[in-house]
Amino acid sequence: MSGNFREAVNATCREMPGAEVSDPWGGGHDAWKVGGKMFACIGAATPGVSVKTADIETATMLIDAGVGIKAPYFHRSWILLPEDCDPDELTHRLCASYDIVRAGLTKKAQAALPARDES
């Protein structure tokens, strides 16, 4: 996996309010979470980053459009973005995944997080 890609993903995720990274399975995964819920994951072996989409239909549309593929080991609402993904698309998908997961947290958990700068 390209170190530049991993660093680009990590740099984007690091800017998300309340985002934390861990390696829950060992072996070099970067699992980004907000409020304890994962929104992005860079695997140890498969190149790319897995992100959550709004629903299975959105994931299917993005897969059909060639944006990504089905994310291995994840629910069907997740897609795997390849390392050669357009940088703007990558940033958009990481931010969208974060927003989806953050919005699904309890109101109490959301209130405990720093404000989201939408700029």
Side-chain angles (χ1 to χ4, degrees), residues 53 55-68 79 93:
T53 66
D55 49 42
I56 294 170
E57 292 76 21
T58 301
T60 300
M61 178 197 69
L62 292 168
I63 291 166
D64 290 348
V67 173
I79 63 169
R93 292 287 153 217

Side-chain angles (χ1 to χ4, degrees), residues 101-116:
V101 172
R102 181 177 173 138
L105 299 174
T106 65
K107 296 295 181 199
K108 182 177 179 179
Q110 289 181 44
L113 295 169
R116 171 87 157 103

Side-chain angles (χ1 to χ4, degrees), residues 88-101:
D88 290 338
E89 183 74 24
L90 176 63
T91 299
H92 172 72
R93 292 287 153 217
L94 289 168
C95 291
S97 182
Y98 170 89
D99 289 340
I100 290 164
V101 172

Side-chain angles (χ1 to χ4, degrees), residues 7-79:
E7 186 46 45
V9 169
N10 287 339
T12 299
C13 292
R14 198 174 291 118
E15 297 300 315
M16 312 270 182
E20 298 177 329
V21 67
S22 66
D23 184 2
W25 306 285
H29 296 82
D30 289 342
W32 284 95
K33 298 179 181 182
V34 60
K37 303 288 184 179
M38 192 175 342
F39 68 90
C41 185
I42 303 172
T46 305
V49 60
S50 297
V51 295
K52 185 170 179 60
T53 66
D55 49 42
I56 294 170
E57 292 76 21
T58 301
T60 300
M61 178 197 69
L62 292 168
I63 291 166
D64 290 348
V67 173
I69 62 170
K70 184 193 176 311
Y73 311 108
F74 285 88
H75 184 267
R76 292 186 306 150
S77 61
W78 285 68
I79 63 169

